[in-house]
Amino acid sequence: MPNMVKEYKAVLTAYEVRGMNQSFISLKVIFTMLVNSIRWSECVAMESKGFSGKNDRTYLEVTKIRWYDVFISY
């Protein structure tokens, strides 16, 4: 919940900076906050499963085609 309050204040401030003054309880602000919260929760879920993005994800293995590979394919 503390992050939700911070997110709500940040979204409300973003609307005010853009000159789109919203009331304290505005559906636009609440919807934007919920979308941002869903994105944040997806990142937290991926990190909790060990997907940090720090390690190399995959390795490339070059496949060599030999003469008998071509022969067998016909």
Side-chain angles (χ1 to χ4, degrees):
M1 283 306 281
N3 288 337
M4 298 277 287
V5 173
K6 289 178 186 176
E7 184 65 31
Y8 185 80
K9 289 180 181 178
V11 171
L12 194 59
T13 303
Y15 273 110
E16 289 174 1
V17 167
R18 292 181 182 120
M20 302 168 59
N21 293 331
Q22 302 290 322
S23 64
F24 186 71
I25 300 175
S26 171
L27 290 178
K28 283 184 178 183
V29 175
I30 292 172
F31 179 75
T32 306
M33 180 210 51
L34 289 175
V35 169
N36 290 342
S37 297
I38 290 170
R39 289 181 182 159
W40 175 78
S41 67
E42 288 177 349
C43 290
V44 169
M46 293 297 282
E47 287 177 2
S48 69
K49 292 179 181 179
F51 295 103
S52 64
K54 293 179 183 175
N55 298 335
D56 293 336
R57 186 168 167 250
T58 57
Y59 296 96
L60 174 66
E61 184 177 329
V62 179
T63 305
K64 296 179 182 178
I65 300 176
R66 297 178 184 86
W67 66 270
Y68 51 84
D69 295 326
V70 175
F71 181 73
I72 292 173
S73 67
Y74 287 111

